[in-house]
């Protein structure tokens, strides 16, 4: 099947057309496979607009089917294609991916509310099995609804943030998008009180920064002696400090202060006065 697709779809637009035909008849997995083979094919290593359209549809399928591994593989390949030719296309695809994952999580929350309200309003009789399950586990209707509808979408959104940060790390051309993604991930942790994920997020960003310092001669790496780059990194760490405080994670807050101090020492520059006011 793989060899057949690779030999048939010499042009990305043909693969996209075939994928859309498969989606119309409910064959989403084969459609995803068709697009995946085009994206990972060595013959499509030159950027073209039709390849961006393939990526957009591919991201939609990945989110719809919660295929995080496929999404990451596709983005890694597309980054290779775009990095030195049209990095703005990679940016558009990633923004699309983030919006789709966020919208899906928001929709799951609304759907869960409607299901819970529906059960409560109808005062529906519980089956003996449901009654026994709730007695044994202590689960309410809301607990079960959240577990079935909300949790999978939240897990996928969290995985999406991690994937995007990994794809964008140490890339000077997309450092603004990297910073925006980090801040959105902070706010996700803050809003839903995800303390474990927040700690992991801080560690991920810390590792990225350490690798940046180790590989100073790497091509396209951010230059922290550049005022704009330093400002982005500092703003991200100040937001990290703020969220750590809101979540009452004092140890993580202290480590965030150390991160900020380390950035200032590394860049040998002092941030703007208003930022230092927050720091102190």
């Amino acid at each position: 099947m793989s060899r057949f697709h690779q030999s048939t779809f010499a042009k990305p637009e043909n693969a996209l057309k075939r994928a859309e035909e498969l989606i119309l008849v409910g064959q989403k997995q084969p459609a995803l496979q068709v697009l995946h083979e085009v994206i990972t094919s060595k013959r499509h290593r030159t950027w073209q607009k039709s390849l961006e359209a393939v990526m957009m549809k591919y991201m939609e399928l990945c989110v719809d089917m919660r295929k995080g591994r496929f999404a990451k593989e596709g983005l890694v390949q597309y980054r290779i294609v775009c990095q030195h030719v049209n990095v703005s296309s990679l940016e558009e695809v990633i923004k699309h991916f983030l919006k789709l994952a966020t919208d899906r999580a928001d929709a799951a929350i609304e759907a869960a509310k409607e299901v819970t309200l529906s059960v409560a309003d109808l005062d529906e009789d519980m089956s003996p099995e449901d009654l026994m399950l709730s007695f044994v586990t202590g689960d309410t209707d809301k607990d079960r609804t959240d577990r079935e509808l909300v949790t999978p979408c939240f897990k996928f959104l969290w995985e999406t943030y991690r994937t995007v940060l990994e794809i964008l790390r140490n890339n000077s051309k997309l450092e603004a998008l990297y910073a925006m993604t980090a801040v959105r991930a902070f706010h996700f942790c803050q809003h839903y009180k995800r303390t474990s994920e927040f700690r992991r997020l801080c560690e991920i960003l810390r590792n990225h920064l350490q690798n940046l310092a180790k590989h100073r001669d790497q091509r396209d790496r951010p230059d922290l002696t550049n005022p704009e780059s330093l400002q982005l990194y500092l703003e991200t760490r100040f937001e990290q400090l703020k969220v750590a405080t809101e979540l009452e994670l004092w140890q993580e807050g202290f480590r965030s202060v150390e991160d900020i101090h380390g950035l200032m020492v590394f860049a040998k520059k002092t941030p703007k006065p208003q930022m230092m006011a927050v720091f102190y």
Side-chain angles (χ1 to χ4, degrees):
M1 182 175 177
S2 175
R3 289 195 300 273
F4 173 77
H5 286 316
Q6 287 184 342
S7 61
T8 303
F9 302 114
K11 295 182 178 180
E13 53 266 37
N14 293 341
L16 179 59
K17 182 179 178 182
R18 177 56 181 156
E20 288 173 339
E21 291 170 351
L22 288 167
I23 292 169
L24 284 174
V25 295
Q27 297 293 310
K28 291 183 179 180
Q29 183 62 43
L32 181 68
Q33 195 62 40
V34 166
L35 299 181
H36 183 264
E37 287 168 359
V38 169
I39 293 163
T40 56
S41 172
K42 291 182 179 179
R43 72 168 58 178
H44 300 300
R45 291 295 169 86
T46 302
W47 186 87
Q48 49 189 306
K49 189 66 178 176
S50 57
L51 196 57
E52 181 182 295
V54 166
M55 278 299 297
M56 292 293 193
K57 181 59 67 174
Y58 182 77
M59 290 292 104
E60 290 170 15
L61 283 170
C62 286
V63 172
D64 190 37
M65 301 168 68
R66 294 198 292 272
K67 297 287 187 178
R69 183 178 62 83
F70 274 81
K72 186 172 184 178
E73 287 180 6
L75 287 172
V76 167
Q77 293 299 322
Y78 198 59
R79 180 180 59 186
I80 294 171
V81 173
C82 293
Q83 181 64 33
H84 303 299
V85 182
N86 191 346
V87 75
S88 62
S89 178
L90 176 61
E91 181 175 4
E92 290 306 311
V93 168
I94 287 176
K95 285 180 178 178
H96 185 56
F97 180 37
L98 284 168
K99 184 178 186 306
L100 289 169
T102 302
D103 289 348
R104 179 55 62 93
D106 291 342
I109 292 171
E110 291 304 313
K113 287 179 182 177
E114 290 178 10
V115 169
T116 305
L117 286 172
S118 170
V119 171
D121 289 346
L122 294 174
D123 198 21
E124 203 171 272
D125 289 335
M126 295 177 70
S127 69
E129 293 81 3
D130 287 341
L131 199 61
M132 183 175 292
L133 181 64
S134 66
F135 178 78
V136 172
T137 65
D139 281 357
T140 63
D141 288 332
K142 184 179 184 307
D143 291 331
R144 288 192 294 276
T145 301
D146 284 352
R147 189 164 58 244
E148 292 169 7
L149 296 178
V150 179
T151 301
C153 292
F154 268 34
K155 284 184 176 179
F156 186 82
L157 180 55
W158 167 243
E159 187 180 354
T160 298
Y161 286 135
R162 293 187 60 167
T163 294
V164 170
L165 289 170
E166 179 65 25
I167 294 295
L168 298 177
R169 70 186 180 93
N170 300 348
N171 189 325
S172 61
K173 296 178 180 179
L174 293 171
E175 57 189 0
L177 183 57
Y178 175 87
M180 183 203 78
T181 304
V183 170
R184 286 176 63 171
F186 288 148
H187 292 168
F188 168 82
C189 294
Q190 179 183 2
H191 186 72
Y192 296 107
K193 311 298 183 189
R194 306 303 304 181
T195 55
S196 296
E197 286 80 2
F198 179 75
R199 290 190 187 95
R200 283 198 289 271
L201 176 60
C202 293
E203 196 58 36
I204 288 168
L205 297 178
R206 205 164 281 126
N207 288 335
H208 289 177
L209 188 59
Q210 288 171 356
N211 288 331
L212 177 61
K214 288 178 184 177
H215 306 289
R216 298 190 183 190
D217 56 345
Q218 181 181 318
R219 186 178 179 181
D220 296 321
R221 60 173 287 280
D223 180 7
L224 294 182
T225 62
N226 180 302
E228 289 77 15
S229 296
L230 178 62
Q231 184 69 16
L232 280 171
Y233 274 79
L234 281 171
E235 286 176 355
T236 302
R237 292 321 186 277
F238 275 106
E239 192 63 32
Q240 176 180 309
L241 174 58
K242 178 183 174 183
V243 174
T245 305
E246 292 287 339
L247 292 174
E248 298 184 353
L249 297 174
W250 309 120
Q251 185 176 1
E252 201 57 59
F254 180 73
R255 297 188 73 187
S256 300
V257 169
E258 289 183 325
D259 291 342
I260 294 168
H261 179 70
L263 272 170
M264 290 189 293
V265 171
F266 179 80
K268 299 178 182 178
K269 291 186 179 180
T270 304
K272 295 177 180 179
Q274 56 267 40
M275 293 184 74
M276 292 306 298
V278 175
F279 179 76
Y280 288 116

